[in-house]
Amino acid sequence: MAAATAITSRRGNDQFRGLFTDTWDVTCTLDSASVATTATATDTVTVPGVALGDMVLGMAIGVSEAGLVRRAYVSAANTVTIVTYNPTASSVDLASTTLNLVIARAL
C-alpha cells in the first residue's frame, strides 16, 4: 500500500471570508471516563456564545484515540457535546489531554 501524501491546494483564511458571522477556537482539557466495548460515552464543554445550528468544523485531541470514534456538535446554547464510541474489542480509557475545537456560525 502506498503512503498518503499531504497536498495543500490553498492555504490561508481568505476563502472563508463572508461565510461565517462568528468563529470560536476552543482549547480545553478533556478527561473522559473509560468507554466499554461497543458502548458510547458523552462529555460536554461550555463554550460561551455558541448556539444550536453552529457547526463544529474540526476537533483535535492530544493523545492517540486507540480506535475510538469521536463526534462533536453544538447540543444547546453555550454547550458542545463530544460523543465517543468504542468499536474495539476492549474497554479504552484515554489519559487526560488537551482538546481543540473549531466552531463556526454560518451567515
Side-chain angles (χ1 to χ4, degrees):
M1 175 181 265
T5 302
I7 298 172
T8 302
S9 60
R10 184 170 180 177
R11 184 175 177 181
N13 64 3
D14 58 317
Q15 67 269 32
F16 292 108
R17 291 186 186 137
L19 294 178
F20 305 119
T21 60
D22 213 345
T23 58
W24 292 261
D25 180 11
V26 178
T27 300
C28 61
T29 299
L30 182 65
D31 190 6
S32 297
S34 178
V35 184
T37 300
T38 68
T40 302
T42 60
D43 294 287
T44 59
V45 177
T46 300
V47 181
V50 299
L52 286 173
D54 292 345
M55 301 173 283
V56 177
L57 300 177
M59 174 174 51
I61 188 165
V63 295
S64 169
E65 294 190 271
L68 298 176
V69 178
R70 287 205 159 138
R71 175 179 178 256
Y73 63 95
V74 177
S75 56
N78 305 315
T79 305
V80 173
T81 296
I82 298 121
V83 179
T84 304
Y85 170 66
N86 181 0
T88 70
S90 61
S91 294
V92 176
D93 189 3
L94 298 180
S96 177
T97 188
T98 299
L99 174 73
N100 295 305
L101 300 166
V102 176
I103 304 164
R105 180 171 297 151
L107 288 175

mmCIF file of all heavy atoms in Angstrom, residues 5-34:
data_model
loop_
_atom_site.group_PDB
_atom_site.id
_atom_site.type_symbol
_atom_site.label_atom_id
_atom_site.label_comp_id
_atom_site.label_asym_id
_atom_site.label_seq_id
_atom_site.Cartn_x
_atom_site.Cartn_y
_atom_site.Cartn_z
ATOM 1 N N THR A 5 0.176 11.211 0.780
ATOM 2 C CA THR A 5 0.962 12.431 0.711
ATOM 3 C C THR A 5 0.045 13.614 0.934
ATOM 4 O O THR A 5 -1.019 13.693 0.332
ATOM 5 C CB THR A 5 1.638 12.565 -0.670
ATOM 6 O OG1 THR A 5 2.451 11.426 -0.902
ATOM 7 C CG2 THR A 5 2.475 13.815 -0.737
ATOM 8 N N ALA A 6 0.448 14.514 1.809
ATOM 9 C CA ALA A 6 -0.350 15.716 2.069
ATOM 10 C C ALA A 6 -0.114 16.730 0.967
ATOM 11 O O ALA A 6 1.019 17.027 0.613
ATOM 12 C CB ALA A 6 0.017 16.314 3.416
ATOM 13 N N ILE A 7 -1.186 17.235 0.404
ATOM 14 C CA ILE A 7 -1.105 18.254 -0.638
ATOM 15 C C ILE A 7 -1.936 19.443 -0.190
ATOM 16 O O ILE A 7 -3.105 19.298 0.148
ATOM 17 C CB ILE A 7 -1.636 17.739 -1.986
ATOM 18 C CG1 ILE A 7 -0.797 16.562 -2.462
ATOM 19 C CG2 ILE A 7 -1.675 18.853 -3.012
ATOM 20 C CD1 ILE A 7 -1.342 15.868 -3.666
ATOM 21 N N THR A 8 -1.322 20.612 -0.159
ATOM 22 C CA THR A 8 -2.049 21.824 0.191
ATOM 23 C C THR A 8 -2.436 22.526 -1.091
ATOM 24 O O THR A 8 -1.578 22.974 -1.849
ATOM 25 C CB THR A 8 -1.181 22.763 1.062
ATOM 26 O OG1 THR A 8 -0.791 22.046 2.228
ATOM 27 C CG2 THR A 8 -1.942 24.011 1.443
ATOM 28 N N SER A 9 -3.739 22.584 -1.349
ATOM 29 C CA SER A 9 -4.173 23.230 -2.584
ATOM 30 C C SER A 9 -4.371 24.728 -2.385
ATOM 31 O O SER A 9 -4.264 25.495 -3.317
ATOM 32 C CB SER A 9 -5.469 22.590 -3.087
ATOM 33 O OG SER A 9 -6.473 22.720 -2.121
ATOM 34 N N ARG A 10 -4.664 25.120 -1.167
ATOM 35 C CA ARG A 10 -4.815 26.536 -0.865
ATOM 36 C C ARG A 10 -4.635 26.717 0.626
ATOM 37 O O ARG A 10 -5.239 26.008 1.412
ATOM 38 C CB ARG A 10 -6.197 27.013 -1.284
ATOM 39 C CG ARG A 10 -6.375 28.496 -1.093
ATOM 40 C CD ARG A 10 -7.662 28.956 -1.736
ATOM 41 N NE ARG A 10 -7.789 30.383 -1.531
ATOM 42 C CZ ARG A 10 -8.755 31.089 -2.002
ATOM 43 N NH1 ARG A 10 -9.698 30.522 -2.719
ATOM 44 N NH2 ARG A 10 -8.808 32.375 -1.794
ATOM 45 N N ARG A 11 -3.818 27.650 1.002
ATOM 46 C CA ARG A 11 -3.562 27.888 2.414
ATOM 47 C C ARG A 11 -3.926 29.310 2.748
ATOM 48 O O ARG A 11 -3.683 30.222 1.967
ATOM 49 C CB ARG A 11 -2.098 27.622 2.737
ATOM 50 C CG ARG A 11 -1.823 27.753 4.199
ATOM 51 C CD ARG A 11 -0.411 27.384 4.523
ATOM 52 N NE ARG A 11 -0.176 27.596 5.931
ATOM 53 C CZ ARG A 11 0.968 27.389 6.518
ATOM 54 N NH1 ARG A 11 1.989 26.968 5.817
ATOM 55 N NH2 ARG A 11 1.105 27.607 7.800
ATOM 56 N N GLY A 12 -4.491 29.512 3.920
ATOM 57 C CA GLY A 12 -4.890 30.833 4.363
ATOM 58 C C GLY A 12 -6.347 30.821 4.767
ATOM 59 O O GLY A 12 -7.012 29.800 4.707
ATOM 60 N N ASN A 13 -6.857 31.979 5.187
ATOM 61 C CA ASN A 13 -8.245 32.019 5.624
ATOM 62 C C ASN A 13 -9.117 32.914 4.753
ATOM 63 O O ASN A 13 -10.296 33.074 5.015
ATOM 64 C CB ASN A 13 -8.343 32.452 7.081
ATOM 65 C CG ASN A 13 -7.854 33.870 7.299
ATOM 66 O OD1 ASN A 13 -7.489 34.555 6.361
ATOM 67 N ND2 ASN A 13 -7.836 34.294 8.538
ATOM 68 N N ASP A 14 -8.573 33.464 3.697
ATOM 69 C CA ASP A 14 -9.356 34.382 2.870
ATOM 70 C C ASP A 14 -10.529 33.689 2.183
ATOM 71 O O ASP A 14 -11.548 34.312 1.903
ATOM 72 C CB ASP A 14 -8.485 35.098 1.833
ATOM 73 C CG ASP A 14 -7.759 34.145 0.909
ATOM 74 O OD1 ASP A 14 -7.225 33.136 1.402
ATOM 75 O OD2 ASP A 14 -7.738 34.410 -0.296
ATOM 76 N N GLN A 15 -10.435 32.371 1.933
ATOM 77 C CA GLN A 15 -11.540 31.666 1.304
ATOM 78 C C GLN A 15 -12.762 31.558 2.217
ATOM 79 O O GLN A 15 -13.859 31.245 1.760
ATOM 80 C CB GLN A 15 -11.114 30.275 0.810
ATOM 81 C CG GLN A 15 -10.753 29.295 1.901
ATOM 82 C CD GLN A 15 -9.285 29.297 2.262
ATOM 83 O OE1 GLN A 15 -8.605 30.314 2.196
ATOM 84 N NE2 GLN A 15 -8.785 28.155 2.670
ATOM 85 N N PHE A 16 -12.592 31.814 3.510
ATOM 86 C CA PHE A 16 -13.706 31.734 4.446
ATOM 87 C C PHE A 16 -14.375 33.080 4.706
ATOM 88 O O PHE A 16 -15.421 33.136 5.334
ATOM 89 C CB PHE A 16 -13.242 31.142 5.776
ATOM 90 C CG PHE A 16 -12.854 29.695 5.649
ATOM 91 C CD1 PHE A 16 -11.531 29.317 5.723
ATOM 92 C CD2 PHE A 16 -13.813 28.719 5.446
ATOM 93 C CE1 PHE A 16 -11.174 27.980 5.606
ATOM 94 C CE2 PHE A 16 -13.463 27.386 5.328
ATOM 95 C CZ PHE A 16 -12.138 27.019 5.403
ATOM 96 N N ARG A 17 -13.784 34.162 4.240
ATOM 97 C CA ARG A 17 -14.382 35.480 4.458
ATOM 98 C C ARG A 17 -15.758 35.531 3.815
ATOM 99 O O ARG A 17 -15.957 35.118 2.692
ATOM 100 C CB ARG A 17 -13.493 36.570 3.902
ATOM 101 C CG ARG A 17 -12.239 36.702 4.711
ATOM 102 C CD ARG A 17 -11.404 37.884 4.269
ATOM 103 N NE ARG A 17 -10.156 37.831 5.010
ATOM 104 C CZ ARG A 17 -8.978 38.049 4.492
ATOM 105 N NH1 ARG A 17 -8.866 38.377 3.232
ATOM 106 N NH2 ARG A 17 -7.910 37.979 5.229
ATOM 107 N N GLY A 18 -16.714 36.013 4.555
ATOM 108 C CA GLY A 18 -18.066 36.118 4.051
ATOM 109 C C GLY A 18 -18.901 34.860 4.239
ATOM 110 O O GLY A 18 -20.071 34.846 3.890
ATOM 111 N N LEU A 19 -18.323 33.792 4.801
ATOM 112 C CA LEU A 19 -19.076 32.560 5.031
ATOM 113 C C LEU A 19 -19.615 32.453 6.449
ATOM 114 O O LEU A 19 -20.654 31.843 6.668
ATOM 115 C CB LEU A 19 -18.199 31.334 4.761
ATOM 116 C CG LEU A 19 -17.747 31.119 3.329
ATOM 117 C CD1 LEU A 19 -16.851 29.900 3.256
ATOM 118 C CD2 LEU A 19 -18.940 30.957 2.409
ATOM 119 N N PHE A 20 -18.885 33.016 7.410
ATOM 120 C CA PHE A 20 -19.252 32.868 8.812
ATOM 121 C C PHE A 20 -19.430 34.228 9.472
ATOM 122 O O PHE A 20 -18.700 35.164 9.188
ATOM 123 C CB PHE A 20 -18.181 32.086 9.578
ATOM 124 C CG PHE A 20 -17.876 30.744 8.969
ATOM 125 C CD1 PHE A 20 -16.617 30.456 8.507
ATOM 126 C CD2 PHE A 20 -18.859 29.778 8.862
ATOM 127 C CE1 PHE A 20 -16.319 29.221 7.949
ATOM 128 C CE2 PHE A 20 -18.579 28.535 8.298
ATOM 129 C CZ PHE A 20 -17.308 28.258 7.844
ATOM 130 N N THR A 21 -20.396 34.301 10.389
ATOM 131 C CA THR A 21 -20.576 35.534 11.146
ATOM 132 C C THR A 21 -19.771 35.524 12.430
ATOM 133 O O THR A 21 -19.481 36.577 12.976
ATOM 134 C CB THR A 21 -22.063 35.750 11.503
ATOM 135 O OG1 THR A 21 -22.520 34.648 12.303
ATOM 136 C CG2 THR A 21 -22.906 35.885 10.262
ATOM 137 N N ASP A 22 -19.417 34.321 12.898
ATOM 138 C CA ASP A 22 -18.644 34.212 14.134
ATOM 139 C C ASP A 22 -17.907 32.879 14.132
ATOM 140 O O ASP A 22 -18.373 31.898 13.547
ATOM 141 C CB ASP A 22 -19.566 34.282 15.350
ATOM 142 C CG ASP A 22 -18.913 34.956 16.537
ATOM 143 O OD1 ASP A 22 -17.675 35.110 16.533
ATOM 144 O OD2 ASP A 22 -19.630 35.340 17.471
ATOM 145 N N THR A 23 -16.746 32.834 14.757
ATOM 146 C CA THR A 23 -15.997 31.592 14.902
ATOM 147 C C THR A 23 -15.428 31.514 16.315
ATOM 148 O O THR A 23 -15.198 32.539 16.966
ATOM 149 C CB THR A 23 -14.836 31.488 13.886
ATOM 150 O OG1 THR A 23 -13.963 32.596 14.064
ATOM 151 C CG2 THR A 23 -15.340 31.436 12.465
ATOM 152 N N TRP A 24 -15.206 30.306 16.771
ATOM 153 C CA TRP A 24 -14.599 30.059 18.075
ATOM 154 C C TRP A 24 -13.455 29.085 17.893
ATOM 155 O O TRP A 24 -13.585 28.083 17.197
ATOM 156 C CB TRP A 24 -15.611 29.417 19.032
ATOM 157 C CG TRP A 24 -16.731 30.290 19.443
ATOM 158 C CD1 TRP A 24 -16.837 31.000 20.608
ATOM 159 C CD2 TRP A 24 -17.936 30.559 18.722
ATOM 160 N NE1 TRP A 24 -18.028 31.679 20.638
ATOM 161 C CE2 TRP A 24 -18.730 31.430 19.494
ATOM 162 C CE3 TRP A 24 -18.430 30.149 17.486
ATOM 163 C CZ2 TRP A 24 -19.968 31.884 19.076
ATOM 164 C CZ3 TRP A 24 -19.660 30.603 17.065
ATOM 165 C CH2 TRP A 24 -20.414 31.465 17.857
ATOM 166 N N ASP A 25 -12.332 29.383 18.517
ATOM 167 C CA ASP A 25 -11.186 28.478 18.592
ATOM 168 C C ASP A 25 -11.085 28.091 20.053
ATOM 169 O O ASP A 25 -10.710 28.919 20.885
ATOM 170 C CB ASP A 25 -9.927 29.180 18.102
ATOM 171 C CG ASP A 25 -8.707 28.288 18.156
ATOM 172 O OD1 ASP A 25 -8.855 27.077 18.375
ATOM 173 O OD2 ASP A 25 -7.594 28.814 17.979
ATOM 174 N N VAL A 26 -11.458 26.866 20.391
ATOM 175 C CA VAL A 26 -11.600 26.436 21.781
ATOM 176 C C VAL A 26 -10.489 25.460 22.131
ATOM 177 O O VAL A 26 -10.238 24.507 21.389
ATOM 178 C CB VAL A 26 -12.970 25.747 21.988
ATOM 179 C CG1 VAL A 26 -13.122 25.258 23.417
ATOM 180 C CG2 VAL A 26 -14.098 26.674 21.595
ATOM 181 N N THR A 27 -9.841 25.686 23.253
ATOM 182 C CA THR A 27 -8.870 24.752 23.797
ATOM 183 C C THR A 27 -9.296 24.442 25.215
ATOM 184 O O THR A 27 -9.541 25.356 26.013
ATOM 185 C CB THR A 27 -7.453 25.348 23.802
ATOM 186 O OG1 THR A 27 -7.087 25.673 22.457
ATOM 187 C CG2 THR A 27 -6.446 24.369 24.363
ATOM 188 N N CYS A 28 -9.425 23.161 25.539
ATOM 189 C CA CYS A 28 -9.843 22.776 26.888
ATOM 190 C C CYS A 28 -9.171 21.458 27.256
ATOM 191 O O CYS A 28 -8.564 20.802 26.417
ATOM 192 C CB CYS A 28 -11.366 22.647 26.966
ATOM 193 S SG CYS A 28 -12.059 21.399 25.868
ATOM 194 N N THR A 29 -9.308 21.077 28.506
ATOM 195 C CA THR A 29 -8.801 19.797 28.973
ATOM 196 C C THR A 29 -9.952 18.807 28.984
ATOM 197 O O THR A 29 -11.039 19.119 29.468
ATOM 198 C CB THR A 29 -8.207 19.928 30.396
ATOM 199 O OG1 THR A 29 -7.131 20.859 30.341
ATOM 200 C CG2 THR A 29 -7.690 18.595 30.896
ATOM 201 N N LEU A 30 -9.714 17.628 28.437
ATOM 202 C CA LEU A 30 -10.728 16.582 28.392
ATOM 203 C C LEU A 30 -10.199 15.359 29.120
ATOM 204 O O LEU A 30 -9.123 14.865 28.815
ATOM 205 C CB LEU A 30 -11.065 16.227 26.940
ATOM 206 C CG LEU A 30 -12.153 15.176 26.742
ATOM 207 C CD1 LEU A 30 -13.497 15.694 27.253
ATOM 208 C CD2 LEU A 30 -12.256 14.789 25.279
ATOM 209 N N ASP A 31 -10.961 14.896 30.113
ATOM 210 C CA ASP A 31 -10.612 13.685 30.851
ATOM 211 C C ASP A 31 -11.831 12.772 30.812
ATOM 212 O O ASP A 31 -12.618 12.718 31.753
ATOM 213 C CB ASP A 31 -10.202 14.015 32.282
ATOM 214 C CG ASP A 31 -9.599 12.821 32.999
ATOM 215 O OD1 ASP A 31 -9.387 11.780 32.351
ATOM 216 O OD2 ASP A 31 -9.345 12.928 34.204
ATOM 217 N N SER A 32 -11.987 12.075 29.707
ATOM 218 C CA SER A 32 -13.142 11.198 29.512
ATOM 219 C C SER A 32 -13.037 9.970 30.401
ATOM 220 O O SER A 32 -11.947 9.483 30.709
ATOM 221 C CB SER A 32 -13.221 10.736 28.059
ATOM 222 O OG SER A 32 -13.408 11.821 27.207
ATOM 223 N N ALA A 33 -14.196 9.435 30.759
ATOM 224 C CA ALA A 33 -14.251 8.180 31.501
ATOM 225 C C ALA A 33 -13.908 7.032 30.559
ATOM 226 O O ALA A 33 -13.912 7.181 29.341
ATOM 227 C CB ALA A 33 -15.642 7.989 32.087
ATOM 228 N N SER A 34 -13.641 5.874 31.130
ATOM 229 C CA SER A 34 -13.402 4.674 30.338
ATOM 230 C C SER A 34 -14.648 4.355 29.519
ATOM 231 O O SER A 34 -15.772 4.513 29.995
ATOM 232 C CB SER A 34 -13.080 3.513 31.274
ATOM 233 O OG SER A 34 -12.885 2.331 30.549
#
